[in-house]
Amino acid sequence: MRAPPDIVVLALALASACSSKNSGTDSGSCTPNSTMESDTNALISDYRESVGLGPLTLDACASELARAHSQDMADGTVPFGHDGFDDRAAELTTMFSNVSAVGENVAYMTAGYKDPAYAAYDGWLNSPPHLENIETPDFNFSAMGVAQNDAGELYFTHMLIAAAE
């Protein structure tokens, strides 16, 4: 599926799981989110609030999982898509309390976008399966990872998490 110009967006992945760990994982031991990751999450959270849903709290530690998947896609280690989603979702259940669902949206774009965060966000909003994931009311945490390959192509992985506050 192709969205405007040269953005490729793939259908969402969704899983349900249960756990009883900590609520959120942000700590000083995790790599902080990049500006692009934070900006993309902010756009999605603002959209959710505009339709009466709660924002998504971006978690730096969980974002390391998303970033690793984006890097694997950028490196060609895994194809563009959701390979390994079940493993990432299971890992999130060790990081958050009472995880009831995990969703994932991925995006790819060629080099040269003035605002890649907005391009990914816009592509997801214009794709019904991705929009459904974004508009799922139970999601309250977020993991966002962006990686770039040597050709300048960007890979986004956005994980949405429903967990106890």
Coordinates of all heavy atoms in Angstrom, one line a residue, residues 48-109:
R48 N -5.4 12.6 19.0 CA -6.3 11.8 19.9 C -7.1 12.8 20.8 O -8.3 12.6 21.0 CB -5.5 10.9 20.8 CG -5.0 9.6 20.1 CD -4.1 8.8 20.9 NE -4.7 8.4 22.2 CZ -5.4 7.3 22.4 NH1 -5.6 6.4 21.4 NH2 -5.9 7.0 23.6
E49 N -6.5 13.8 21.4 CA -7.2 14.7 22.2 C -8.3 15.5 21.4 O -9.3 15.8 21.9 CB -6.2 15.7 22.9 CG -5.4 15.0 24.0 CD -4.5 15.9 24.7 OE1 -3.6 16.5 24.1 OE2 -4.6 16.0 25.9
S50 N -8.0 15.8 20.1 CA -9.0 16.5 19.3 C -10.2 15.7 19.0 O -11.3 16.3 18.7 CB -8.3 16.9 18.0 OG -8.3 15.9 17.1
V51 N -10.1 14.4 19.2 CA -11.3 13.5 19.0 C -11.8 13.0 20.3 O -12.6 12.0 20.3 CB -11.1 12.4 18.0 CG1 -10.8 13.0 16.6 CG2 -10.0 11.4 18.4
G52 N -11.4 13.6 21.4 CA -11.9 13.2 22.7 C -11.3 12.1 23.4 O -11.8 11.5 24.4
L53 N -10.1 11.7 23.0 CA -9.4 10.6 23.6 C -8.2 11.1 24.4 O -7.8 12.2 24.2 CB -8.8 9.6 22.5 CG -9.9 8.9 21.6 CD1 -9.2 8.2 20.5 CD2 -10.8 8.0 22.5
G54 N -7.7 10.3 25.3 CA -6.5 10.7 26.1 C -5.3 10.7 25.3 O -5.1 9.9 24.3
P55 N -4.3 11.5 25.7 CA -3.0 11.5 25.0 C -2.2 10.2 25.3 O -2.6 9.4 26.2 CB -2.3 12.7 25.6 CG -2.9 12.8 27.0 CD -4.3 12.4 26.8
L56 N -1.2 10.0 24.6 CA -0.3 8.8 24.8 C 1.0 9.3 25.5 O 1.7 10.2 25.0 CB 0.1 8.2 23.4 CG -1.1 7.6 22.6 CD1 -0.6 7.2 21.2 CD2 -1.8 6.5 23.4
T57 N 1.3 8.7 26.6 CA 2.5 9.0 27.4 C 3.6 8.2 26.7 O 3.7 7.0 26.7 CB 2.4 8.6 28.8 OG1 1.3 9.3 29.4 CG2 3.6 8.9 29.6
L58 N 4.6 9.0 26.2 CA 5.8 8.4 25.5 C 6.7 7.9 26.5 O 7.1 8.6 27.5 CB 6.4 9.5 24.6 CG 7.6 9.0 23.7 CD1 7.2 7.9 22.8 CD2 8.2 10.2 23.0
D59 N 7.1 6.6 26.4 CA 8.0 5.9 27.3 C 9.4 5.7 26.7 O 9.4 5.0 25.7 CB 7.4 4.6 27.8 CG 8.2 4.0 28.9 OD1 9.1 3.3 28.6 OD2 7.9 4.2 30.1
A60 N 10.4 6.3 27.2 CA 11.7 6.1 26.6 C 12.3 4.7 26.6 O 12.9 4.3 25.6 CB 12.7 7.0 27.3
C61 N 12.0 3.9 27.7 CA 12.5 2.6 27.7 C 11.8 1.7 26.7 O 12.4 0.9 26.0 CB 12.4 2.0 29.1 SG 13.6 2.8 30.3
A62 N 10.5 1.8 26.6 CA 9.7 1.1 25.7 C 10.1 1.5 24.3 O 10.1 0.6 23.3 CB 8.2 1.2 25.9
S63 N 10.4 2.7 24.1 CA 10.8 3.2 22.8 C 12.1 2.5 22.2 O 12.3 2.5 21.0 CB 11.0 4.7 22.8 OG 9.7 5.4 23.0
E64 N 12.9 2.1 23.2 CA 14.1 1.3 22.7 C 13.7 0.1 21.9 O 14.4 -0.3 21.0 CB 15.0 1.0 23.9 CG 15.6 2.2 24.5 CD 16.5 1.9 25.7 OE1 16.5 0.8 26.2 OE2 17.3 2.9 26.1
L65 N 12.6 -0.6 22.3 CA 12.1 -1.7 21.5 C 11.7 -1.3 20.1 O 12.0 -2.0 19.1 CB 10.9 -2.4 22.2 CG 11.2 -3.2 23.5 CD1 9.8 -3.6 24.1 CD2 12.1 -4.4 23.2
A66 N 10.9 -0.2 20.1 CA 10.4 0.3 18.8 C 11.6 0.7 17.9 O 11.7 0.5 16.7 CB 9.5 1.4 19.0
R67 N 12.6 1.4 18.5 CA 13.7 1.9 17.8 C 14.6 0.8 17.2 O 15.1 0.8 16.1 CB 14.6 2.8 18.7 CG 15.6 3.6 18.0 CD 16.3 4.6 18.9 NE 15.4 5.5 19.6 CZ 15.1 5.4 21.0 NH1 15.8 4.6 21.7 NH2 14.3 6.2 21.5
A68 N 14.7 -0.3 18.0 CA 15.5 -1.5 17.5 C 14.8 -2.1 16.3 O 15.5 -2.5 15.4 CB 15.6 -2.5 18.7
H69 N 13.5 -2.2 16.3 CA 12.8 -2.7 15.2 C 13.0 -1.8 14.0 O 13.2 -2.3 12.9 CB 11.3 -2.9 15.5 CG 10.5 -3.5 14.3 ND1 10.8 -4.7 13.7 CD2 9.4 -3.0 13.6 CE1 10.0 -4.9 12.7 NE2 9.2 -3.9 12.6
S70 N 12.9 -0.5 14.2 CA 13.1 0.4 13.1 C 14.5 0.3 12.5 O 14.7 0.3 11.3 CB 12.9 1.9 13.5 OG 11.5 2.1 13.8
Q71 N 15.5 0.1 13.4 CA 16.9 0.0 12.9 C 17.0 -1.3 12.2 O 17.7 -1.4 11.2 CB 17.8 0.0 14.1 CG 19.3 0.1 13.7 CD 19.6 1.4 12.9 OE1 19.4 2.5 13.4 NE2 20.0 1.3 11.7
D72 N 16.4 -2.4 12.7 CA 16.5 -3.7 11.9 C 15.9 -3.5 10.5 O 16.4 -4.1 9.6 CB 15.7 -4.8 12.7 CG 16.5 -5.3 13.9 OD1 17.7 -5.0 14.0 OD2 15.9 -5.9 14.8
M73 N 14.8 -2.8 10.4 CA 14.2 -2.6 9.1 C 15.1 -1.7 8.2 O 15.4 -2.0 7.0 CB 12.8 -1.9 9.2 CG 11.7 -2.9 9.7 SD 10.1 -2.2 9.6 CE 10.2 -0.8 10.8
A74 N 15.7 -0.7 8.8 CA 16.6 0.2 8.1 C 17.8 -0.5 7.6 O 18.3 -0.3 6.5 CB 17.0 1.4 8.9
D75 N 18.3 -1.5 8.4 CA 19.5 -2.2 8.1 C 19.2 -3.4 7.1 O 20.1 -4.0 6.6 CB 20.2 -2.8 9.3 CG 20.8 -1.8 10.2 OD1 21.0 -0.6 9.8 OD2 21.0 -2.1 11.4
G76 N 17.9 -3.7 6.9 CA 17.6 -4.8 6.1 C 17.6 -6.1 6.8 O 17.5 -7.2 6.2
T77 N 17.8 -6.1 8.1 CA 17.8 -7.4 8.9 C 16.5 -8.1 8.9 O 16.4 -9.3 8.9 CB 18.2 -7.0 10.4 OG1 19.5 -6.3 10.3 CG2 18.4 -8.3 11.2
V78 N 15.4 -7.3 8.9 CA 14.0 -7.8 8.8 C 13.4 -7.0 7.7 O 13.7 -5.8 7.4 CB 13.2 -7.7 10.1 CG1 13.9 -8.5 11.2 CG2 13.0 -6.3 10.5
P79 N 12.4 -7.5 7.0 CA 11.7 -6.8 6.0 C 10.8 -5.7 6.6 O 10.5 -5.8 7.8 CB 10.8 -7.8 5.3 CG 10.6 -8.9 6.2 CD 11.9 -8.9 7.1
F80 N 10.5 -4.7 5.9 CA 9.5 -3.7 6.3 C 8.2 -4.3 6.7 O 7.7 -5.1 6.0 CB 9.3 -2.6 5.2 CG 8.2 -1.6 5.6 CD1 8.5 -0.6 6.5 CD2 7.0 -1.7 5.1 CE1 7.6 0.3 6.9 CE2 6.0 -0.7 5.4 CZ 6.3 0.2 6.3
G81 N 7.8 -4.1 8.0 CA 6.6 -4.7 8.4 C 6.6 -5.0 9.9 O 7.3 -4.3 10.7
H82 N 6.0 -6.1 10.3 CA 5.7 -6.3 11.7 C 6.4 -7.6 12.2 O 6.0 -8.2 13.2 CB 4.2 -6.4 12.0 CG 3.5 -5.1 11.7 ND1 3.7 -4.0 12.5 CD2 2.7 -4.8 10.7 CE1 2.9 -3.0 11.9 NE2 2.4 -3.5 10.8
D83 N 7.5 -8.1 11.5 CA 8.2 -9.2 12.0 C 8.7 -9.0 13.4 O 9.2 -8.0 13.8 CB 9.4 -9.5 11.1 CG 9.1 -10.2 9.8 OD1 7.9 -10.2 9.4 OD2 10.1 -10.7 9.1
G84 N 8.4 -10.0 14.3 CA 8.8 -10.0 15.6 C 7.9 -9.2 16.6 O 8.2 -9.0 17.7
F85 N 6.7 -8.8 16.0 CA 5.8 -8.0 16.8 C 5.4 -8.8 18.1 O 5.3 -8.2 19.2 CB 4.5 -7.7 16.0 CG 3.4 -7.1 16.9 CD1 3.5 -5.8 17.4 CD2 2.3 -7.9 17.2 CE1 2.5 -5.3 18.2 CE2 1.3 -7.4 18.0 CZ 1.4 -6.1 18.5
D86 N 5.1 -10.1 18.0 CA 4.7 -10.8 19.2 C 5.7 -10.8 20.3 O 5.4 -10.6 21.5 CB 4.3 -12.2 18.9 CG 3.0 -12.4 18.1 OD1 2.2 -11.4 18.1 OD2 2.8 -13.4 17.4
D87 N 7.0 -10.8 19.9 CA 8.1 -10.7 20.9 C 8.2 -9.3 21.5 O 8.4 -9.2 22.7 CB 9.4 -11.1 20.2 CG 9.5 -12.5 19.8 OD1 8.8 -13.4 20.4 OD2 10.3 -12.8 18.8
R88 N 8.0 -8.3 20.7 CA 8.0 -6.9 21.2 C 6.8 -6.7 22.2 O 7.0 -6.1 23.3 CB 8.0 -5.9 20.1 CG 9.3 -5.8 19.3 CD 9.3 -4.6 18.3 NE 8.3 -4.8 17.3 CZ 8.5 -5.6 16.2 NH1 9.6 -6.4 16.1 NH2 7.6 -5.7 15.3
A89 N 5.7 -7.2 21.8 CA 4.5 -7.1 22.6 C 4.7 -7.8 24.0 O 4.4 -7.3 25.0 CB 3.2 -7.6 21.9
A90 N 5.3 -9.0 23.9 CA 5.6 -9.8 25.1 C 6.5 -9.0 26.0 O 6.4 -9.0 27.3 CB 6.1 -11.2 24.8
E91 N 7.6 -8.4 25.4 CA 8.5 -7.6 26.2 C 7.9 -6.5 26.9 O 8.2 -6.2 28.1 CB 9.7 -7.2 25.3 CG 10.7 -6.4 26.0 CD 11.6 -7.2 27.0 OE1 11.6 -8.4 26.9 OE2 12.2 -6.6 27.9
L92 N 6.9 -5.8 26.3 CA 6.2 -4.7 26.9 C 5.4 -5.1 28.1 O 5.3 -4.4 29.0 CB 5.3 -4.0 25.9 CG 6.0 -3.2 24.8 CD1 5.0 -2.8 23.7 CD2 6.8 -2.1 25.3
T93 N 5.0 -6.4 28.1 CA 4.2 -6.9 29.3 C 5.1 -7.0 30.5 O 4.7 -7.1 31.6 CB 3.5 -8.2 29.0 OG1 4.5 -9.2 28.9 CG2 2.6 -8.1 27.9
T94 N 6.5 -7.0 30.3 CA 7.4 -7.1 31.4 C 7.7 -5.7 31.9 O 8.3 -5.5 33.0 CB 8.7 -7.8 31.1 OG1 9.5 -7.1 30.2 CG2 8.4 -9.2 30.5
M95 N 7.4 -4.7 31.1 CA 7.7 -3.3 31.4 C 6.6 -2.5 32.0 O 6.8 -1.4 32.6 CB 8.2 -2.6 30.2 CG 9.4 -3.3 29.5 SD 9.8 -2.7 27.9 CE 10.8 -1.3 28.3
F96 N 5.3 -2.9 31.8 CA 4.1 -2.2 32.2 C 3.2 -3.0 33.1 O 3.2 -4.3 32.9 CB 3.4 -1.7 31.0 CG 4.0 -0.6 30.2 CD1 4.9 -0.9 29.2 CD2 3.8 0.7 30.5 CE1 5.6 0.0 28.5 CE2 4.4 1.7 29.7 CZ 5.3 1.4 28.7
S97 N 2.4 -2.4 33.9 CA 1.4 -3.1 34.7 C 0.2 -3.4 33.9 O -0.3 -2.6 33.2 CB 1.0 -2.2 35.9 OG 2.1 -2.1 36.8
N98 N -0.3 -4.6 34.1 CA -1.6 -5.1 33.5 C -1.8 -4.6 32.1 O -2.8 -4.0 31.8 CB -2.7 -4.5 34.4 CG -2.6 -5.1 35.8 OD1 -2.3 -6.3 36.0 ND2 -2.7 -4.2 36.8
V99 N -0.9 -5.1 31.2 CA -1.0 -4.8 29.8 C -2.2 -5.5 29.2 O -2.3 -6.8 29.4 CB 0.2 -5.1 29.0 CG1 0.0 -4.9 27.5 CG2 1.4 -4.2 29.5
S100 N -3.2 -4.8 28.6 CA -4.3 -5.5 28.1 C -4.3 -5.6 26.5 O -5.0 -6.4 25.9 CB -5.6 -4.8 28.5 OG -5.7 -3.5 28.1
A101 N -3.5 -4.7 25.9 CA -3.4 -4.7 24.4 C -2.2 -3.9 24.0 O -1.7 -3.0 24.7 CB -4.7 -4.1 23.8
V102 N -1.6 -4.3 22.9 CA -0.5 -3.6 22.3 C -0.8 -3.6 20.8 O -1.2 -4.5 20.2 CB 0.8 -4.4 22.5 CG1 2.0 -3.7 21.7 CG2 1.1 -4.5 24.0
G103 N -0.6 -2.4 20.2 CA -0.8 -2.2 18.8 C 0.5 -1.7 18.2 O 1.4 -1.2 18.9
E104 N 0.7 -1.8 16.9 CA 1.9 -1.3 16.2 C 1.6 -0.7 14.9 O 0.8 -1.4 14.1 CB 2.9 -2.4 16.1 CG 4.2 -2.1 15.4 CD 5.2 -3.2 15.4 OE1 5.1 -4.0 14.5 OE2 6.0 -3.3 16.4
N105 N 2.1 0.4 14.6 CA 2.0 1.0 13.2 C 3.5 1.2 12.8 O 4.3 1.6 13.6 CB 1.3 2.4 13.2 CG -0.2 2.3 13.5 OD1 -0.8 1.2 13.3 ND2 -0.8 3.4 13.9
V106 N 3.8 0.9 11.5 CA 5.1 1.2 11.0 C 4.9 2.1 9.7 O 3.9 2.1 9.1 CB 5.9 -0.1 10.7 CG1 6.2 -0.9 11.9 CG2 5.2 -1.0 9.7
A107 N 6.0 2.8 9.4 CA 6.0 3.7 8.2 C 7.4 3.7 7.7 O 8.4 3.6 8.4 CB 5.5 5.1 8.6
Y108 N 7.5 3.9 6.4 CA 8.7 4.1 5.7 C 8.6 5.3 4.8 O 7.5 5.5 4.2 CB 9.0 2.8 4.9 CG 9.9 3.0 3.7 CD1 11.3 2.9 3.8 CD2 9.4 3.3 2.4 CE1 12.1 3.1 2.8 CE2 10.2 3.5 1.3 CZ 11.6 3.4 1.5 OH 12.4 3.6 0.4
M109 N 9.7 6.0 4.6 CA 9.7 7.1 3.6 C 11.1 7.3 3.1 O 12.1 7.0 3.8 CB 9.1 8.3 4.2 CG 9.9 9.0 5.3 SD 9.0 10.3 6.1 CE 7.7 9.4 6.9

